[in-house]
Amino acid sequence: MAMLRDRKTYRERIMQALYQAAEGNRLLGVDGAKLRTDLGIPEQDMAAACMYLAGEGWVVVDWERGNTPAMITLTHQGIRQMETEEEGRG
């Protein structure tokens, strides 16, 4: 399992990738395996990050066997969270 700093980084990278892919449309999901490969996140850490983000209410995850995220979709709360962070940077 990754260190705390790495876990936070993984979660941030997942949220940024989902937000960019969704372009504000929360109906668009992202393939979990492709996202994991694209971001270079270890499988166990990807599952842990998705569980955390789902627990925060920022994403909805459709799971495959073995706790593998099949499809990940931003929720309305997740989009608002990303917009708030974006406004804070701007």
Side-chain angles (χ1 to χ4, degrees):
M1 188 62 111
M3 302 294 289
L4 177 60
R5 183 186 77 239
D6 294 332
R7 292 193 308 263
K8 286 183 175 182
T9 299
Y10 293 153
R11 294 190 298 248
E12 289 170 7
R13 290 174 59 206
I14 290 167
M15 288 295 289
Q16 288 170 356
L18 290 173
Y19 185 64
Q20 288 173 352
E23 297 178 352
N25 181 351
R26 67 186 190 104
L27 299 177
L28 295 177
V30 174
D31 179 270
K34 181 177 181 339
L35 183 62
R36 183 178 66 79
T37 300
D38 289 350
L39 297 177
I41 298 174
E43 189 172 346
Q44 182 180 2
D45 294 324
M46 181 72 173
C50 287
M51 282 188 230
Y52 177 92
L53 296 171
E56 290 294 315
W58 296 340
V59 301
V60 173
V61 182
D62 294 327
W63 296 95
E64 292 180 348
R65 287 183 154 170
N67 288 333
T68 302
M71 185 65 63
I72 310 162
T73 309
L74 276 176
T75 64
H76 178 73
Q77 282 181 293
I79 292 170
R80 288 183 53 199
Q81 174 67 23
M82 294 305 295
E83 289 172 347
T84 300
E85 288 181 17
E86 199 171 60
E87 288 170 353
R89 285 185 231 127

